[in-house]
Amino acid sequence: MDRKRLAELMQHLDYDPAPLEAGEAFSWLEEHDGRFGHFIGGRWSAPGGKLLPVIDPSSGTAIARVTMGNAKDAGRAAGRAADALRSWSRTAGVERAGYLRAIARAVARHASLFALVESLETGDPVGKSRGIDIPLAIRHLEKYAVRGAMEAGGDPGGFAQGVTAAILPRHSPLPTLASRIAPAIAAGNTVVIKPSESTPLTALLFAEILREEVRLPPGVVNVITGGVPAGEALVRHPRVRSISYAGSAEGGRRILGLAAGSGKHVALELDGNTIFLIFGSADIDSAVEGTVEAAFVNRGWIYSGGSLLLVEESVYHPVIERITRRMERLRAGSALDATTDVGPIRSEERLEDIARLCRREQEGGAEIRQPASWRRPEQGFHYPPTLIANVREVDAFAAAHPYGPVLACMSFRTPAEAMQSANMRRGIHAASIWTQDISLALDCAYGVRAEKVWINVSRAFDESSGIGAMENGCEVLREMFPWKGSRAKSWSGKALSKREREKILDGRATGRRTGHAGETSSVEIRAAVAAARETYPLWSGRSSTQRARSLHSLWEHVQMQRERLAGAISLDTNLPLESSRKELEATLLFLFTTAAYIDKHEGTAEHVSGKNLVINLREPIGVVGIVAGDEFPLLGVAAPAVAALAAGNGVVLANGRHPLAGLDLSEILRDAGLPPGCVKILPAGDPDQAGILLAEQEEVDAVWHFGSAAGGAAVENITAGNLKRSFVAGGNVPAWGDPILFAELIDAATKVKQIRIPYGV
Amino acid sequence: MYVAAASVDSRYAVHSIPFDRELLRHIHVNRSALGLRAALLGARRSFRRESEAAALLRAVQCLDLTTLAGDDTEKSIERLCAQALHPVAPETLCALGIPGIVVRAAAVCVYQNLVPAAVRAVRGAIPVAAVSTGFPAGQISLDLKLAEIERSIAFGAREIDVVISRALALEGRWGDLYDEISLFCRACDGRATVKTIIGAGDLGTLENVARASAVAIMAGSDFIKTSTGFEPVNATFEAGLVMAREIRRFEMASHGVRRVGLKAAGGIRSAETALLWLTLMREECGEARTRPDLFRIGASGLLADLQRQLRRLAAARSSAEHQHAMA
């Protein structure tokens, strides 16, 4: 003990840095000589070719080198994963769950090593990796062990869809890895992981533990390192059947583009921004604390883009002052110091990006505030915590995804204005709303376009809260379910006789008497989309019980018109009435089931980790554009349209080659009391063309395509560019009665907004 | 009534402001957020080695060494005062390498009737604090409360710990509470420091804790104090955070003029908890708020643990030096 230092501290009380003993991490790196190959089929390949340095942002030095993977490596890994698939997918679900448990335990055993390695490569303070990331990763593994055992247990291989490629982001590598591989292997898939080139070490450590301690069958989990080429080769590889990607929108587009038309399942989690809303009715000090904690300390955890703070004008100045004051107490330093609040930025280049962004804002008239007490630590890439008050170019700021300790701030006058400011921006991941007024809070939670809403809290880190988009407990496992597209054919029989045909025509007093009722022009599609956009809120605003009632009434109307509809099918397809009646019965059953199912579909409430109420609010996607297939002229129209409607969406549907039954259904929909305009069934001369038109329409939020493989691929190519959700059968004829397909349809029609409300202590 | 005339240049005149209901209106406290903050207080802050020794010594210096028991005697008070004057053994200070430094508790805190004994025992080296105004429940009439203050001061107490009428807070009679505390403060003005005990554990909600703190500050208290130690719930970090933030609010609004101290009391028995209180003050209000003129810890059992931890550090230091010498 240094007496001089002690005397000094007695005069002015301060903390000591608490550097962690990182020997464990370095000796692990040394065991590998600081060089890593790929982990394929349960074996390490020799490091070779061009080696990529892994930089520790806290010191700016390279701590290890990894192999730059190429297409050949990706192919080898996908091949070994495909080999392993055969026995892994046939392993009982319970056994797979047991492996997941064992992995979770092994990660827990090495928690401190994982935390050190993660902090070393990401530059995130060890407090975050130790306190949040590692426990979360463990939790993901445990949770899917349980779910996997429950859901897949009775049906070995039933849910496996093949080899999954997990392409991981730079931030929070371990929890992201766990959240990707756990559902995949629980469902019987095998995985190839491609970690970010700048943070590959946690994945490699994970692989080593699988091999040494868990003894997971070789090939079930593989890791290849490298940059974009390795990732793209994986995406293109024919044995890879599903891809899960987290990262930039740009990367997401590229992957969707590569996978378009291949029938591969792609799950994306794209970088987004976090918005903080502070109202005058908030506990201001707690709001400031929460904002500072999230924006400066846990950056990269809750968001991977920028943070935007919107403050009610009446409290704008106090909030700004208090944040400024609070920033003075943030400690900058090495990621491996337990007292560090703000760790380093990932690279020197990034540092310059952030500085440029701030300069531009300053020149534009914004006020830049940085703590006066801040001293740049001697080593590493550090940027001071920065508040940009009265930010000018909010959108440019958000788009730049600064990924640094930067918080942009502006004021609002009314809750409506706050919602408008928030919803103007695309790609909002999370909104943190601060007010003591619960009805205001919930109103905003409902209104804001974000996937996660946190009320009076800004760090919500348990497995139920996930990391980002498209991920929310049950959905992830379901995404790993197969696409049960089958080669089902219509019921068939001998052709309709002339007499029968005339009899049907006689019965059709109203409506179109015969087949092709005209082409659909782009003008018509646009008009239909505009009408749906405008009117669907009337429909989605109804409770799910009310929607169920309308669908039930639709069922009744279809029943009343059964002869007419069966006749329409036969007229169009020239199939006997008997076969058409079978299709009609199947349609009625689908309608009835959907109405019953949707009756309680608003969402669920969970009670998680301590006193947190989590509401999973199911919301419609918006306007769903559907291209029906040629098979099943009635069921193939009614099933997707009704599924989309059931979830509260507006629907614009283009018929396949046999539009008559669909057009009849359209009239029946109107009679059943659905708001006019919110569903429009169009005859489509060229279904593939209709698909392209729908995918290109800005006001269409999702496109489902059940037509030809080529048409589906065209849709996927377009949605890869504009990042719309797509659901494409790839030329398969959907087995409409299949319960898993039903669940998938409802999922595709729904997005889940998660609202977290802590209460008490 | 024993009301001391407030002189124009008195501390009270600088300190107090007229009752302003507006300042209570916008008080909002989110209990969950505070709970999270409290739970994370020590998460990224650590006192270790030198800073741990410094923090333990600081805790000793902020200590209002207290005894409030039915079996207190003059002799036991004398022993308590001896402890307060020499809370850290000279050998320990020596082993820590700071033999010349004088470390004393901030004050001793006793019942009113024992003030004379305590004053004799401390011989002017540190102030004697007296709990007055019908401690701990405060359920006696106002004139008796004021008389008790007067008597405590007459006995030589230089600090008076007063309790508020929790009923006034629970009934929302903030103006009346202001008047009551004002009378206490005037009674002490210029002669003794006033520490107003708001009895956080009796107030039911953190909003009430914040409002009572604001009223006590407006009325001119020198310190606001969490608890008597006799409430069902002791001094919690949540309550401490709320009170520290009220203090900070008034300090910021007055541009640093209105500097009110915080005293944490009730159930603080371990050195670890004491250091967390220091962390709380340092993080929320700054280093100046960890000094005895603006921060106190009221406790009776805590000193033993502080001593124990200091001895541990001292032993580690001397054994390290010993090994060094051998090498």
Side-chain angles (χ1 to χ4, degrees), chain B residues 51-65:
Chain B
S51 61
E52 186 181 1
L56 290 167
L57 290 167
R58 181 64 65 84
V60 171
Q61 289 171 320
C62 289
L63 192 61
D64 278 4
L65 195 57

Side-chain angles (χ1 to χ4, degrees), chain A residues 87-165:
Chain A
S87 63
W88 182 250
S89 62
R90 289 192 195 126
T91 309
V94 180
E95 201 175 321
R96 293 197 299 259
Y99 274 110
L100 275 177
R101 280 268 178 212
I103 299 172
R105 271 200 307 276
V107 172
R109 253 195 320 276
H110 298 283
S112 73
L113 178 57
F114 271 109
L116 286 171
V117 172
E118 201 189 73
S119 284
L120 266 175
E121 64 179 358
T122 59
D124 287 341
V126 72
K128 179 208 159 209
S129 50
R130 199 168 47 183
I132 300 177
D133 284 10
I134 312 303
L136 183 69
I138 294 168
R139 201 49 212 123
H140 275 305
L141 293 162
E142 282 173 347
K143 183 172 96 170
Y144 286 108
V146 176
R147 290 187 59 94
M150 273 164 46
E151 299 195 4
D155 183 10
F159 298 139
Q161 46 183 347
V163 178
T164 300

Side-chain angles (χ1 to χ4, degrees), chain A residues 645-670:
Chain A
L645 282 170
N649 297 282
V651 171
V652 175
L653 182 140
N655 263 307
R657 251 189 310 135
H658 307 297
L660 196 53
L663 293 173
D664 282 353
L665 180 70
S666 166
E667 281 167 25
I668 297 170
L669 278 164
R670 209 162 34 238

Side-chain angles (χ1 to χ4, degrees), chain A residues 232-257:
Chain A
E232 291 193 346
L234 267 184
V235 174
R236 271 196 301 254
H237 197 278
R239 305 300 298 268
V240 170
R241 295 317 298 160
S242 76
I243 298 138
S244 116
Y245 167 84
S248 68
E250 190 190 323
R253 277 193 197 102
R254 213 158 47 217
I255 284 174
L256 284 172

Side-chain angles (χ1 to χ4, degrees), chain A residues 38 50 52 67-75 167 194-195 197 224-237 254-255 258:
Chain A
H38 307 299
K50 196 179 162 227
L52 275 172
T67 304
M68 175 75 116
N70 54 25
K72 224 177 98 197
D73 300 318
I167 299 173
K194 207 290 286 175
E197 58 181 288
I224 61 164
T225 51
V228 173
E232 291 193 346
L234 267 184
V235 174
R236 271 196 301 254
H237 197 278
R254 213 158 47 217
I255 284 174
L258 286 172

Side-chain angles (χ1 to χ4, degrees), chain A residues 2 13 283 285 341 760, chain B residues 30 32 44-45 50 248 287:
Chain A
D2 180 348
L13 188 63
D283 171 352
D285 286 306
D341 295 321
Chain B
N30 188 274
S32 311
R44 287 188 305 271
R45 297 291 179 265
E50 285 90 352
R248 189 173 70 188
E287 200 271 343

